[in-house]
Amino acid sequence: MDLQLTGRVALVTGASKGIGLAVVRTLLDEGARVAAVSRKSGADLDALAGPNLLHVPADLTDPAAPAEAVRRTVETFGGLDVLVNNAGGPPPGATLPRFGFLTPTDDDWRAMFEFNLFAVVRTVRAAIPHLLDADAGAIVNVSSGNGRRPGPMNYDYNAAKAAVNNLTKGLSEEYGPQGVRVNTVSPGPVRTAWWTDEGGAADVLAGATGADRDAILDGGAAEMMNLVTGRLVDPREVADVIALLASPRSASTTGAEVAVDGGFLKEV
């Protein structure tokens, strides 16, 4: 399938690893020009270097950073067609999962919302004027299945992602008639650095359950979360759906939430 992304300009946040890196790679493969936004680059992102890739170093918790990232993108590529708000998860210095409502402090809540919600709001605000000028503008916000499945851990993260879901619906209503589609992709647990890094989610769950971290990664986490596929999601599987939603081939899809979660969400 030709996704009709050749020559289109996309800005992807959280682009140096995990889902964001997979999205950058997929969009480049589809012929798009991509501004990859992250605090710093990395070997995997550097390996994609070429005329169609711009790395924009930015800390999106800085209120001025989203507008600067958009400005750099438009300055370099001449416009903006697609925005992928992928940056999210634990803010710098935080480790998830966190158990119990009383665990996160006010500062934890503020940091979580700055990274997972306010950075999205500011990036959309900066991008909208350029997306309105595009012939088929698209925004894809990366949320989480936890935005619709509350539970007694990660209260701050879950609430921030629920807010992203609500924001997406509102944006789709306002800007859909003006030619900008807005959709959400809600991954389940994805095998990224959040899980695999030392001290990450696999280690936290291993410590809480007495299991081996490798056993957690190779099936234990999937069993705990009742994933019907029996494994964590591959970042490329999420990236493929994001690319499809960003494509003009999805011209009648807006305000949707697409789960790529291994069967994590059971709700109808």
Side-chain angles (χ1 to χ4, degrees):
M1 178 188 293
D2 177 8
L3 294 183
Q4 301 174 4
L5 290 169
T6 299
R8 294 186 178 272
V9 178
L11 186 157
V12 181
T13 67
S16 64
K17 57 187 177 181
I19 294 172
L21 178 66
V23 172
V24 171
R25 183 179 289 116
T26 299
L27 293 177
L28 288 173
D29 287 346
E30 292 293 331
R33 294 173 289 170
V34 182
V37 181
S38 61
R39 289 182 182 83
K40 58 184 179 180
S41 189
D44 291 333
L45 184 59
D46 290 343
L48 301 176
N52 286 339
L53 178 63
L54 168 71
H55 177 244
V56 181
D59 177 358
L60 293 177
T61 61
D62 174 357
E68 176 61 15
V70 171
R71 187 196 68 78
R72 287 277 312 278
T73 302
V74 173
E75 178 183 71
T76 301
F77 292 128
L80 181 62
D81 302 288
V82 174
L83 170 62
V84 180
N85 282 305
N86 167 72
T95 299
L96 298 183
R98 286 193 286 232
F99 301 97
F101 172 71
L102 296 178
T103 300
T105 65
D106 280 3
D107 286 342
D108 292 329
W109 278 88
R110 290 189 190 97
M112 189 66 72
F113 270 68
E114 278 288 344
F115 190 36
N116 287 276
L117 178 63
F118 298 148
V120 173
V121 169
R122 292 171 184 138
T123 309
V124 171
R125 184 186 294 137
I128 278 291
H130 305 286
L131 294 171
L132 289 170
D133 286 340
D135 63 350
I139 299 173
V140 183
N141 293 325
V142 179
S143 183
S144 168
N146 287 313
R148 291 205 292 122
R149 176 171 275 196
M153 65 180 183
N154 300 333
Y155 280 89
D156 48 350
Y157 175 75
N158 298 350
K161 290 303 189 183
V164 169
N165 294 347
N166 190 287
L167 172 69
T168 301
K169 290 287 190 180
L171 290 169
S172 72
E173 285 291 314
E174 181 172 0
Y175 292 105
Q178 301 177 62
V180 179
R181 296 179 302 103
V182 191
N183 293 289
T184 302
V185 171
S186 289
V190 181
R191 192 171 181 125
T192 64
W194 178 357
W195 280 87
T196 60
D197 276 357
E198 184 176 352
D203 286 331
V204 173
L205 287 176
T209 62
D212 176 80
R213 77 181 309 275
D214 290 333
I216 293 288
L217 289 170
D218 294 336
E223 183 177 356
M224 290 177 198
M225 286 177 273
N226 197 21
L227 304 187
V228 298
T229 58
R231 61 174 176 82
L232 299 178
V233 178
D234 188 293
R236 294 171 298 181
E237 296 165 338
V238 184
D240 287 345
V241 174
I242 290 172
L244 180 59
L245 289 173
S247 163
R249 297 295 293 268
S250 296
S252 290
T253 304
T254 191
E257 179 189 2
V258 181
V260 187
D261 64 2
F264 172 70
L265 283 173
K266 312 298 182 185
E267 293 80 359
V268 176

